[in-house]
């Protein structure tokens, strides 16, 4: 294993995260990590005039799942729509994990955001998580008028495990002729079950999400199929052999994390297929740094790049 070369600001944060982030996670530790507390939706909204409402919809196989709609209290309609898939390796977290950007975008763009409570592995392995997420996207698109957003400016957003699911949903939408997406925003996405890249082998027992945790989560999602031929690209989008016909894509990833090389390869495959992708690799950073160390200079740069891309995307002629 190569000694991680962390940015000094980020290296100073890591000791306080010990035991609070999934490093070396095995199946028997999942419930402990699931039980960790994260900021509530109320805390993330704060005193801003933003509200949220729950809706029960049909997920994969007709099972009931919940989606929450986040919008400004004085929402006027006609702004963009943001469909959000939460992180947590497809095995942890809930629909309110890291929705701060959704609140920001509601305020800035009068956006309507929908965040989905997909059913998680291992209780619900593939295809349930990605199909639940696809069902949520279909529901959002079908209710554009009622929710009050412009269906021609519908963007999907996810990070980590949610980034992988978002990429899978985008592929499903393309292949099924489903809801038209104007962009996909993928932060540190989890997209390759094979764990064969240099970065997937390099970082184990260090950082925030390591090789062991990644293997554990992918096994929960895919069972014995993990790493074998024939895994669906909707489960692991790095498996896709054709990345043509995708909407404009934003990809970012930390340089010192397991997901680095798969994210770079995914962007390269989009370019090779004639598509549009913007890629950022943040030097010295660990997985999830923009949420875990938001005051650091590299996190501020990361968020500024994300916001710049989204602003430019939403300003395009429809």
């Amino acid at each position: 294993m190569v000694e991680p070369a962390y940015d000094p600001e980020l290296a100073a944060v890591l000791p306080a995260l010990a035991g609070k982030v999934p490093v070396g996670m095995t199946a028997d530790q999942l419930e402990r990590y699931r039980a960790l507390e994260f900021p509530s939706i109320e805390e993330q909204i704060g005193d801003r005039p933003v509200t949220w409402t729950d809706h029960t919809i049909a997920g994969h196989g007709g099972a009931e799942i919940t989606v929450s709609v986040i919008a400004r209290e004085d929402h006027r309609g006609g702004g963009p729509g943001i469909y959000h898939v939460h992180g947590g390796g497809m095995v942890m977290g809930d629909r309110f994990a890291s929705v701060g950007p959704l609140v920001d975008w509601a305020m800035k763009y009068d956006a309507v955001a929908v965040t989905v409570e997909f059913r998680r592995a291992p209780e619900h392995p593939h295809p349930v998580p990605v199909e639940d997420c696809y069902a949520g996207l279909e529901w959002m698109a079908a209710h554009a008028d009622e929710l009050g957003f412009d269906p021609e400016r519908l963007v999907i957003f996810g990070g980590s495990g949610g980034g992988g699911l978002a990429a899978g949903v985008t592929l499903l939408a393309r292949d099924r002729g489903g809801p038209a997406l104007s962009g996909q925003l993928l932060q540190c996405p989890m997209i390759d079950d094979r764990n064969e890249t240099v970065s997937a082998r390099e970082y184990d027992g260090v950082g925030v999400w390591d090789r062991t945790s990644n293997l554990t989560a992918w096994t929960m999602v895919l069972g014995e199929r993990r790493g074998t031929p024939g895994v669906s690209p909707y489960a692991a989008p790095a498996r896709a052999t054709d990345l043509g016909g995708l909407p404009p894509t934003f990809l970012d990833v930390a340089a010192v994390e397991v997901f680095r090389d798969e994210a770079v390869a995914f962007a390269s495959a989009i370019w090779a297929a004639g598509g549009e992708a913007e890629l950022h690799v943040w030097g010295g950073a660990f997985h999830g740094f923009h949420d875990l160390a938001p005051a650091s200079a590299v996190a501020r740069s990361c968020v500024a790049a994300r916001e710049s891309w989204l602003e430019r995307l939403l300003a395009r002629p429809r």
Side-chain angles (χ1 to χ4, degrees):
M1 185 188 76
V2 176
E3 186 68 23
Y6 292 120
D7 173 275
E9 276 191 291
L10 297 183
V13 171
L14 277 175
L17 297 175
K20 300 177 182 178
V21 293
V23 177
M25 184 182 74
T26 52
D28 61 301
Q29 297 173 327
L30 177 61
E31 291 308 318
R32 179 169 74 84
Y33 285 111
R34 281 182 171 179
L36 292 175
E37 292 188 6
F38 293 93
S40 67
I41 178 66
E42 292 86 359
E43 289 172 310
Q44 293 179 78
I45 290 174
D47 60 0
R48 290 175 289 183
V50 171
T51 187
W52 57 276
T53 56
D54 289 343
H55 300 261
T56 300
I57 70 168
H60 180 56
E64 290 187 349
I65 62 172
T66 301
V67 296
S68 293
V69 178
I70 297 172
R72 278 170 39 169
E73 291 178 359
D74 63 349
H75 175 60
R76 297 181 179 277
I82 310 290
Y83 183 66
H84 174 248
V85 186
H86 73 78
M90 306 184 225
V91 300
M92 298 177 289
D94 64 26
R95 67 189 182 280
F96 296 132
S98 300
V99 295
L102 307 184
V103 179
D104 294 341
W105 297 331
M107 292 299 301
K108 182 175 181 179
Y109 300 114
D110 196 16
V112 172
V114 171
T115 183
V116 58
E117 193 72 57
F118 62 87
R119 287 169 289 168
R120 306 171 301 189
E123 296 88 347
H124 302 281
H126 178 77
V128 175
V130 72
E131 290 288 359
D132 277 356
C133 293
Y134 183 72
L137 177 68
E138 285 195 308
W139 179 87
M140 183 179 184
H143 292 80
D145 289 344
E146 175 188 336
L147 297 175
F149 71 89
D150 181 354
E152 294 186 13
R153 293 194 293 167
L154 175 55
V155 179
I156 192 167
F157 166 50
S160 191
L165 288 169
V169 167
T170 300
L171 290 170
L172 281 171
R174 180 197 67 180
D175 295 345
R176 293 176 178 174
L181 290 164
S182 64
Q184 61 173 339
L185 200 169
L186 311 176
Q187 293 205 273
C188 307
M190 175 183 173
I191 54 177
D192 196 342
D193 67 294
R194 293 165 293 192
N195 294 284
E196 293 174 349
T197 67
V198 171
S199 62
R201 296 180 181 277
E202 200 170 16
Y203 302 113
D204 203 12
V206 296
V208 166
W209 179 266
D210 66 342
R211 176 177 177 81
T212 296
S213 298
N214 205 40
L215 288 168
T216 296
W218 274 117
T219 301
M220 291 177 179
V221 173
L222 294 172
E224 294 181 354
R225 294 172 292 171
R226 179 188 58 77
T228 64
V231 168
S232 168
Y234 308 130
R239 299 279 196 148
T241 57
D242 176 14
L243 291 181
L246 298 182
T249 299
F250 177 96
L251 274 154
D252 75 0
V253 70
V256 191
E257 73 158 305
V258 168
F259 298 149
R260 180 193 66 212
D261 295 344
E262 59 202 63
V264 171
F266 198 71
S268 295
I270 292 174
W271 294 322
E276 178 186 341
E278 179 169 319
L279 170 68
H280 298 265
V281 181
W282 298 102
F286 50 72
H287 182 71
F289 68 99
H290 53 283
D291 283 333
L292 295 168
S296 65
V298 66
R300 294 198 305 272
S301 295
C302 167
V303 171
R306 179 187 72 193
E307 298 304 305
S308 172
W309 177 85
L310 183 61
E311 186 169 346
R312 286 179 278 120
L313 179 78
L314 295 178
R316 293 184 181 191
R318 290 176 298 216

